[in-house]
Amino acid sequence: MKKLTGMLLYVVLMASQVVAQSKPTSSPQLSGFRELLSNIKATFTLPEGFKETTPPNNEKLPFQYGVENPDADCEIWFQVNSVKAEWQRHERDKADAVRQLINPDSLYIKTVEDEAAIMSSENNYIARNIPTYILDQYNADEGRSYLLALTDLPATKHYQYALLIALNKKRTGNIIMACLTNERGPYFFKTISKLKRCLKFSD
């Protein structure tokens, strides 16, 4: 009886270890990124096949989190910007006839275009508004994409091309994603399409 009880206890302990090992862990980087996203009511799940990497995080390219898919020769860097403080100032100062106020929901356009100019070769990029049916998959209100030919820079890890995706949630904030690759073929776009299933603004 004691032997049987001991065997059952061993099985239970081993099973608990398997369950513990199968639970997804959250790195400090991912936890910090999710905290930034919570400030703009958005969520993120690490896409299948990706692992964390280190993006540039400086004054010109302030990306806060990055993932890579070595099999697809692809990295994706994320930048999260809240506009709640800008909206508070906008509401406070809108009665001032002297000031020319900028709508805070348009700030993301200047941000992503400045970054596109830094990363691209002689401002060599194609900009397009993101269609509504794609915005709906992210639960975003508006957005733009920029296809770039990159300048050969250490900051962009000598990648040749990038697709910048900027998503905006009105009166809340925006997310800018830099998707970098050396090949602009169908596999690259299929890989980054996984973002639509892992990143979303809340209602």
Side-chain angles (χ1 to χ4, degrees):
M1 185 68 179
K2 289 183 178 179
K3 185 176 181 180
L4 179 60
T5 303
M7 290 179 63
L8 289 172
L9 180 60
Y10 175 77
V11 170
V12 170
L13 287 173
M14 291 301 295
S16 65
Q17 288 180 9
V18 171
V19 171
Q21 290 172 1
S22 65
K23 288 183 179 179
T25 58
S26 179
S27 68
Q29 294 87 351
L30 181 54
S31 297
F33 178 53
R34 284 175 171 161
E35 185 175 349
L36 291 172
L37 288 171
S38 69
N39 293 328
I40 61 169
K41 299 180 179 179
T43 58
F44 174 79
T45 303
L46 189 66
E48 182 180 353
F50 283 82
K51 63 180 183 179
E52 293 181 336
T53 188
T54 304
N57 188 352
N58 52 53
E59 184 177 350
K60 293 182 177 180
L61 298 173
F63 292 96
Q64 299 125 336
Y65 185 70
V67 297
E68 65 176 341
N69 186 325
D71 294 335
D73 187 28
C74 172
E75 288 193 28
I76 303 173
W77 303 339
F78 300 86
Q79 178 184 342
V80 180
N81 303 298
S82 173
V83 295
K84 294 177 182 177
E86 285 77 7
W87 266 109
Q88 289 176 353
R89 288 193 290 270
H90 188 274
E91 295 293 340
R92 182 192 64 203
D93 299 336
K94 65 182 180 181
D96 190 337
V98 177
R99 296 190 179 188
Q100 294 183 349
L101 300 179
I102 298 175
N103 185 322
D105 283 327
S106 68
L107 294 175
Y108 80 97
I109 297 174
K110 184 178 188 312
T111 299
V112 71
E113 288 185 348
D114 285 348
E115 292 174 2
I118 292 168
M119 298 169 69
S120 66
S121 175
E122 299 178 355
N123 293 338
N124 182 16
Y125 59 82
I126 301 170
R128 289 190 173 93
N129 290 326
I130 297 177
T132 302
Y133 76 94
I134 294 180
L135 293 174
D136 289 344
Q137 296 177 47
Y138 294 100
N139 201 23
D141 294 321
E142 54 192 5
R144 290 190 181 183
S145 66
Y146 299 77
L147 188 59
L148 319 178
L150 296 178
T151 303
D152 188 12
L153 296 173
T156 53
K157 303 185 180 181
H158 305 287
Y159 278 102
Q160 297 181 49
Y161 308 105
L163 177 67
L164 299 187
I165 302 171
L167 304 168
N168 187 59
K169 190 74 171 177
K170 291 182 178 179
R171 290 183 170 265
T172 303
N174 57 76
I175 302 168
I176 297 172
M177 296 172 281
C179 310
L180 298 94
T181 186
N182 289 312
E183 298 290 340
R184 291 185 296 180
Y187 190 55
F188 167 65
F189 292 99
K190 182 179 179 180
T191 300
I192 63 174
S193 70
K194 294 179 180 180
L195 293 171
K196 293 179 286 189
R197 298 189 293 271
C198 71
L199 184 66
K200 187 178 288 291
F201 287 101
S202 303
D203 293 327

